[in-house]
Amino acid sequence: MSAVWCEAAWLPGRGVVDSVRAEVDGAGIVTSVRAGVPAAAADLHVAGVSFPAAANAHSHAFHRVLRGRTHNMGVGSFWPWREQMYKAAGALTPELYEEPAPAVFAEMVVTGWPSVAEFHYVHHLPDGTPYGSSTGGEHAMELALARAAVSARIRLTLLDTCYLAGGIGQPLSGEQARFGDPGVAAWLDRLQSLRTAVAAEFSPDQVTVAAALHSVRAVPAEALPVGARELPGDLPLHIHLSEQPAENEACVLATGLTPTGLLQRHGLVTPRLSAVHATHLTEADVAILGAGHATVVMCPTTEADLADGIGPAAALKDAGARVALGTDQHAVVDPWLEMRALEHGERLGSGQRGWFPPEALHQAASEAGSLCQGRRPPGLQPGRYCDLMAVDPASVRTVGSRRDQLALTATAGDVATVVVGGRLAARKGIHATLGDPARLLAAAIAKMDAAAEGA
C-alpha cells in the first residue's frame, strides 16, 4: 500500500478541495480518500491542482509524423491529406514503429493522457502479406505497439481494426493492402489470436485488445451483421462515423441509409459502441445514437485541422449519448485544448456559452474515455485508477482562474505532474523513465523520414 498526497484536488460532487490524501493498492487502484489531512513522509507529494487524468479515446500513433507538414497551399481537405498519411503508413515496419510509438505515447503521458485507445490498422507487410515467423510473427506490428506502450507507461487499449474495402463497392488500393484481411471471418480469427497473444504477455492493466470497424467505407454492409453476431458482447467496438459528407452520400446511394442508420439496422448501436467524429449527422442519426446510449468520440483539434467541421456534441449529449475526447492525428496532444475546443465548437455554432460546464468537460476527457477503452476510470475515488494530472494554478495562463474553471484556461504546458497508478509518471513535461519526449520524437521522425524516402 502506498499513498498520494495532493496539495489540492478535484473531487466528484465537491469541487476542488485542499490537502487530499489517497491510499493506493499494489495494482494502482485507490482504496481510500480523505480531504483536509496532512501528508505523511513517504507519500508522493503532488503540487498544484490535481484532476482525474485524461483518457485518450482515439489515436493513430503514426500520424504524429505529419504534424506541421501538411499545410501546403492546395491541400484543401481531408482527402489529399489522406494520401500523405498513406505514404507514412507505407514506411512502417515493426522495428521502426518501436521508435515513434514510445515517443508519441510519452508525449501523451506528460501532457495528461496516460491511457489511450489506439485505432490500429497497419497489420501486414506493405503488399498485404501477413508477417511470418521470419518477420516477428503474425502480430509483429501489434506487439511492437504493445511494447511501446509498456516502455512509455501508458495504458493501451489496442483496437484491432477490420478494413476490407477501399470504399463502398471498391477493392482495396495498393497503399491500403497492408490494412486488409481476406474477409470478416479472417479478421475475427486474427483478432482472437491477437487477444490470446497479448493476454499471455501483458497485464490487462497495461495492455488489452478491443475491436474496431474502420468505417462503412471500409467494411461492406454484408460484413456488419457478422461482426455484430460474432464479437464478444462485452468487447468495446469503435468505428469512424460520418467524418465526411462524401461518406454519407456514398452510403445513402448504396444502401438507402445513413452510416448511423446502417449500423442501427445491423444491431451495432449499443452502449459498447464508440462512434468516432460523428461530425455530419442528421437529426435522426443523433436520436439513434442517443437512444442506443453509444459514445461519440470527438477530436476537436483534429476536426479543425482537417477542416472536417463541428459535430453536434451538445445535441448528442442531450439525446443520451456519452461524449469522449481523442487526439486522432495528433496535430495537438493536449487534453486541456480538446476540452476547451469541445465547448468552443458549441459556442461558435450557437452564439451562446455554457454548453459543457467544467465538470462535464472533465467527465468527457476522463471517465467517458475510459469507458471507450473498457477500463475502470481514473480519479480520486475508491475503485478507480490513481491516474492524475496536476496543473499549476499560477502560470501566466492560469493565474487568477477559479480552480474549478481551470479546464477553460490551462494547457498541457501547465501540467506540472502526472501520476499513473499512484506512481510518478512525469514532471514538467519530462517523462519519469524516457526523459524528454521532444528528443525522442526528433530521433523517431528522422528515421521515419528516411524510411519514407526509401520506400
PDB file of all heavy atoms in Angstrom, residues 163-184:
ATOM      1  N   TYR A 163     -10.648  -3.883 -41.889  1.00  0.00           N
ATOM      2  CA  TYR A 163     -10.504  -2.974 -43.037  1.00  0.00           C
ATOM      3  C   TYR A 163     -10.521  -3.853 -44.284  1.00  0.00           C
ATOM      4  O   TYR A 163      -9.527  -4.490 -44.617  1.00  0.00           O
ATOM      5  CB  TYR A 163      -9.173  -2.222 -42.915  1.00  0.00           C
ATOM      6  CG  TYR A 163      -9.047  -0.920 -43.653  1.00  0.00           C
ATOM      7  CD1 TYR A 163      -8.609   0.218 -42.984  1.00  0.00           C
ATOM      8  CD2 TYR A 163      -9.314  -0.807 -45.008  1.00  0.00           C
ATOM      9  CE1 TYR A 163      -8.453   1.439 -43.643  1.00  0.00           C
ATOM     10  CE2 TYR A 163      -9.157   0.398 -45.674  1.00  0.00           C
ATOM     11  CZ  TYR A 163      -8.724   1.518 -44.986  1.00  0.00           C
ATOM     12  OH  TYR A 163      -8.575   2.712 -45.639  1.00  0.00           O
ATOM     13  N   LEU A 164     -11.639  -3.895 -44.987  1.00  0.00           N
ATOM     14  CA  LEU A 164     -11.833  -4.876 -46.053  1.00  0.00           C
ATOM     15  C   LEU A 164     -11.993  -4.271 -47.436  1.00  0.00           C
ATOM     16  O   LEU A 164     -11.875  -5.000 -48.434  1.00  0.00           O
ATOM     17  CB  LEU A 164     -13.067  -5.736 -45.752  1.00  0.00           C
ATOM     18  CG  LEU A 164     -13.086  -6.456 -44.395  1.00  0.00           C
ATOM     19  CD1 LEU A 164     -14.401  -7.198 -44.224  1.00  0.00           C
ATOM     20  CD2 LEU A 164     -11.900  -7.409 -44.277  1.00  0.00           C
ATOM     21  N   ALA A 165     -12.283  -2.987 -47.542  1.00  0.00           N
ATOM     22  CA  ALA A 165     -12.577  -2.378 -48.835  1.00  0.00           C
ATOM     23  C   ALA A 165     -11.947  -1.002 -48.932  1.00  0.00           C
ATOM     24  O   ALA A 165     -11.675  -0.348 -47.928  1.00  0.00           O
ATOM     25  CB  ALA A 165     -14.090  -2.274 -49.047  1.00  0.00           C
ATOM     26  N   GLY A 166     -11.716  -0.552 -50.173  1.00  0.00           N
ATOM     27  CA  GLY A 166     -11.136   0.764 -50.402  1.00  0.00           C
ATOM     28  C   GLY A 166     -12.167   1.867 -50.464  1.00  0.00           C
ATOM     29  O   GLY A 166     -11.834   3.045 -50.561  1.00  0.00           O
ATOM     30  N   GLY A 167     -13.403   1.516 -50.408  1.00  0.00           N
ATOM     31  CA  GLY A 167     -14.539   2.423 -50.451  1.00  0.00           C
ATOM     32  C   GLY A 167     -15.763   1.564 -50.691  1.00  0.00           C
ATOM     33  O   GLY A 167     -15.645   0.350 -50.931  1.00  0.00           O
ATOM     34  N   ILE A 168     -16.932   2.143 -50.613  1.00  0.00           N
ATOM     35  CA  ILE A 168     -18.143   1.354 -50.794  1.00  0.00           C
ATOM     36  C   ILE A 168     -18.160   0.791 -52.210  1.00  0.00           C
ATOM     37  O   ILE A 168     -18.132   1.534 -53.202  1.00  0.00           O
ATOM     38  CB  ILE A 168     -19.395   2.201 -50.512  1.00  0.00           C
ATOM     39  CG1 ILE A 168     -19.412   2.612 -49.026  1.00  0.00           C
ATOM     40  CG2 ILE A 168     -20.663   1.423 -50.851  1.00  0.00           C
ATOM     41  CD1 ILE A 168     -20.553   3.522 -48.636  1.00  0.00           C
ATOM     42  N   GLY A 169     -18.133  -0.545 -52.290  1.00  0.00           N
ATOM     43  CA  GLY A 169     -18.129  -1.212 -53.583  1.00  0.00           C
ATOM     44  C   GLY A 169     -16.797  -1.207 -54.298  1.00  0.00           C
ATOM     45  O   GLY A 169     -16.726  -1.558 -55.482  1.00  0.00           O
ATOM     46  N   GLN A 170     -15.708  -0.846 -53.612  1.00  0.00           N
ATOM     47  CA  GLN A 170     -14.390  -0.750 -54.241  1.00  0.00           C
ATOM     48  C   GLN A 170     -13.399  -1.679 -53.549  1.00  0.00           C
ATOM     49  O   GLN A 170     -13.447  -1.850 -52.335  1.00  0.00           O
ATOM     50  CB  GLN A 170     -13.862   0.685 -54.154  1.00  0.00           C
ATOM     51  CG  GLN A 170     -14.742   1.717 -54.827  1.00  0.00           C
ATOM     52  CD  GLN A 170     -14.244   3.129 -54.593  1.00  0.00           C
ATOM     53  OE1 GLN A 170     -13.083   3.334 -54.237  1.00  0.00           O
ATOM     54  NE2 GLN A 170     -15.114   4.110 -54.775  1.00  0.00           N
ATOM     55  N   PRO A 171     -12.470  -2.274 -54.317  1.00  0.00           N
ATOM     56  CA  PRO A 171     -11.432  -3.100 -53.693  1.00  0.00           C
ATOM     57  C   PRO A 171     -10.407  -2.230 -52.983  1.00  0.00           C
ATOM     58  O   PRO A 171     -10.334  -1.007 -53.206  1.00  0.00           O
ATOM     59  CB  PRO A 171     -10.804  -3.821 -54.880  1.00  0.00           C
ATOM     60  CG  PRO A 171     -10.999  -2.875 -56.026  1.00  0.00           C
ATOM     61  CD  PRO A 171     -12.334  -2.212 -55.776  1.00  0.00           C
ATOM     62  N   LEU A 172      -9.602  -2.845 -52.143  1.00  0.00           N
ATOM     63  CA  LEU A 172      -8.500  -2.129 -51.511  1.00  0.00           C
ATOM     64  C   LEU A 172      -7.527  -1.630 -52.568  1.00  0.00           C
ATOM     65  O   LEU A 172      -7.209  -2.341 -53.533  1.00  0.00           O
ATOM     66  CB  LEU A 172      -7.758  -3.047 -50.536  1.00  0.00           C
ATOM     67  CG  LEU A 172      -8.512  -3.491 -49.282  1.00  0.00           C
ATOM     68  CD1 LEU A 172      -7.731  -4.588 -48.567  1.00  0.00           C
ATOM     69  CD2 LEU A 172      -8.756  -2.320 -48.346  1.00  0.00           C
ATOM     70  N   SER A 173      -7.043  -0.422 -52.399  1.00  0.00           N
ATOM     71  CA  SER A 173      -5.999   0.098 -53.280  1.00  0.00           C
ATOM     72  C   SER A 173      -4.651  -0.467 -52.851  1.00  0.00           C
ATOM     73  O   SER A 173      -4.528  -1.104 -51.795  1.00  0.00           O
ATOM     74  CB  SER A 173      -5.974   1.620 -53.209  1.00  0.00           C
ATOM     75  OG  SER A 173      -5.610   2.049 -51.897  1.00  0.00           O
ATOM     76  N   GLY A 174      -3.628  -0.205 -53.650  1.00  0.00           N
ATOM     77  CA  GLY A 174      -2.306  -0.719 -53.324  1.00  0.00           C
ATOM     78  C   GLY A 174      -1.793  -0.246 -51.983  1.00  0.00           C
ATOM     79  O   GLY A 174      -1.245  -1.032 -51.201  1.00  0.00           O
ATOM     80  N   GLU A 175      -2.000   1.040 -51.671  1.00  0.00           N
ATOM     81  CA  GLU A 175      -1.499   1.557 -50.389  1.00  0.00           C
ATOM     82  C   GLU A 175      -2.323   1.090 -49.209  1.00  0.00           C
ATOM     83  O   GLU A 175      -1.903   1.196 -48.059  1.00  0.00           O
ATOM     84  CB  GLU A 175      -1.398   3.076 -50.406  1.00  0.00           C
ATOM     85  CG  GLU A 175      -2.658   3.843 -50.727  1.00  0.00           C
ATOM     86  CD  GLU A 175      -2.784   4.171 -52.197  1.00  0.00           C
ATOM     87  OE1 GLU A 175      -2.246   5.195 -52.651  1.00  0.00           O
ATOM     88  OE2 GLU A 175      -3.460   3.367 -52.880  1.00  0.00           O
ATOM     89  N   GLN A 176      -3.525   0.537 -49.473  1.00  0.00           N
ATOM     90  CA  GLN A 176      -4.365   0.015 -48.398  1.00  0.00           C
ATOM     91  C   GLN A 176      -4.182  -1.482 -48.182  1.00  0.00           C
ATOM     92  O   GLN A 176      -4.763  -2.023 -47.234  1.00  0.00           O
ATOM     93  CB  GLN A 176      -5.843   0.285 -48.723  1.00  0.00           C
ATOM     94  CG  GLN A 176      -6.237   1.744 -48.764  1.00  0.00           C
ATOM     95  CD  GLN A 176      -7.620   1.947 -49.363  1.00  0.00           C
ATOM     96  OE1 GLN A 176      -8.045   1.209 -50.244  1.00  0.00           O
ATOM     97  NE2 GLN A 176      -8.342   2.957 -48.874  1.00  0.00           N
ATOM     98  N   ALA A 177      -3.385  -2.142 -49.014  1.00  0.00           N
ATOM     99  CA  ALA A 177      -3.302  -3.605 -48.976  1.00  0.00           C
ATOM    100  C   ALA A 177      -2.880  -4.124 -47.606  1.00  0.00           C
ATOM    101  O   ALA A 177      -3.394  -5.141 -47.131  1.00  0.00           O
ATOM    102  CB  ALA A 177      -2.337  -4.097 -50.052  1.00  0.00           C
ATOM    103  N   ARG A 178      -1.975  -3.407 -46.952  1.00  0.00           N
ATOM    104  CA  ARG A 178      -1.471  -3.902 -45.667  1.00  0.00           C
ATOM    105  C   ARG A 178      -2.470  -3.714 -44.536  1.00  0.00           C
ATOM    106  O   ARG A 178      -2.270  -4.216 -43.439  1.00  0.00           O
ATOM    107  CB  ARG A 178      -0.138  -3.241 -45.331  1.00  0.00           C
ATOM    108  CG  ARG A 178      -0.196  -1.767 -44.999  1.00  0.00           C
ATOM    109  CD  ARG A 178       1.198  -1.185 -44.783  1.00  0.00           C
ATOM    110  NE  ARG A 178       2.027  -2.036 -43.960  1.00  0.00           N
ATOM    111  CZ  ARG A 178       3.256  -1.730 -43.539  1.00  0.00           C
ATOM    112  NH1 ARG A 178       3.798  -0.566 -43.851  1.00  0.00           N
ATOM    113  NH2 ARG A 178       3.944  -2.566 -42.798  1.00  0.00           N
ATOM    114  N   PHE A 179      -3.540  -2.980 -44.792  1.00  0.00           N
ATOM    115  CA  PHE A 179      -4.568  -2.779 -43.772  1.00  0.00           C
ATOM    116  C   PHE A 179      -5.573  -3.935 -43.732  1.00  0.00           C
ATOM    117  O   PHE A 179      -6.271  -4.105 -42.734  1.00  0.00           O
ATOM    118  CB  PHE A 179      -5.370  -1.497 -44.038  1.00  0.00           C
ATOM    119  CG  PHE A 179      -4.572  -0.242 -44.246  1.00  0.00           C
ATOM    120  CD1 PHE A 179      -5.148   0.849 -44.884  1.00  0.00           C
ATOM    121  CD2 PHE A 179      -3.260  -0.124 -43.812  1.00  0.00           C
ATOM    122  CE1 PHE A 179      -4.443   2.025 -45.086  1.00  0.00           C
ATOM    123  CE2 PHE A 179      -2.537   1.042 -44.015  1.00  0.00           C
ATOM    124  CZ  PHE A 179      -3.134   2.121 -44.659  1.00  0.00           C
ATOM    125  N   GLY A 180      -5.679  -4.685 -44.833  1.00  0.00           N
ATOM    126  CA  GLY A 180      -6.828  -5.556 -45.028  1.00  0.00           C
ATOM    127  C   GLY A 180      -6.638  -6.996 -44.605  1.00  0.00           C
ATOM    128  O   GLY A 180      -5.529  -7.479 -44.371  1.00  0.00           O
ATOM    129  N   ASP A 181      -7.756  -7.698 -44.509  1.00  0.00           N
ATOM    130  CA  ASP A 181      -7.817  -9.139 -44.294  1.00  0.00           C
ATOM    131  C   ASP A 181      -8.663  -9.731 -45.420  1.00  0.00           C
ATOM    132  O   ASP A 181      -9.445  -9.016 -46.067  1.00  0.00           O
ATOM    133  CB  ASP A 181      -8.442  -9.458 -42.931  1.00  0.00           C
ATOM    134  CG  ASP A 181      -7.543  -9.056 -41.776  1.00  0.00           C
ATOM    135  OD1 ASP A 181      -6.435  -9.599 -41.674  1.00  0.00           O
ATOM    136  OD2 ASP A 181      -7.945  -8.171 -40.985  1.00  0.00           O
ATOM    137  N   PRO A 182      -8.541 -11.056 -45.676  1.00  0.00           N
ATOM    138  CA  PRO A 182      -9.312 -11.657 -46.773  1.00  0.00           C
ATOM    139  C   PRO A 182     -10.824 -11.527 -46.633  1.00  0.00           C
ATOM    140  O   PRO A 182     -11.547 -11.593 -47.615  1.00  0.00           O
ATOM    141  CB  PRO A 182      -8.873 -13.124 -46.739  1.00  0.00           C
ATOM    142  CG  PRO A 182      -7.527 -13.106 -46.091  1.00  0.00           C
ATOM    143  CD  PRO A 182      -7.584 -12.000 -45.089  1.00  0.00           C
ATOM    144  N   GLY A 183     -11.308 -11.378 -45.420  1.00  0.00           N
ATOM    145  CA  GLY A 183     -12.743 -11.240 -45.188  1.00  0.00           C
ATOM    146  C   GLY A 183     -12.995 -11.063 -43.714  1.00  0.00           C
ATOM    147  O   GLY A 183     -12.079 -11.101 -42.889  1.00  0.00           O
ATOM    148  N   VAL A 184     -14.266 -10.879 -43.359  1.00  0.00           N
ATOM    149  CA  VAL A 184     -14.591 -10.606 -41.967  1.00  0.00           C
ATOM    150  C   VAL A 184     -14.276 -11.811 -41.080  1.00  0.00           C
ATOM    151  O   VAL A 184     -13.828 -11.645 -39.931  1.00  0.00           O
ATOM    152  CB  VAL A 184     -16.066 -10.161 -41.825  1.00  0.00           C
ATOM    153  CG1 VAL A 184     -17.030 -11.274 -42.182  1.00  0.00           C
ATOM    154  CG2 VAL A 184     -16.335  -9.633 -40.417  1.00  0.00           C
TER     155      VAL A 184
END
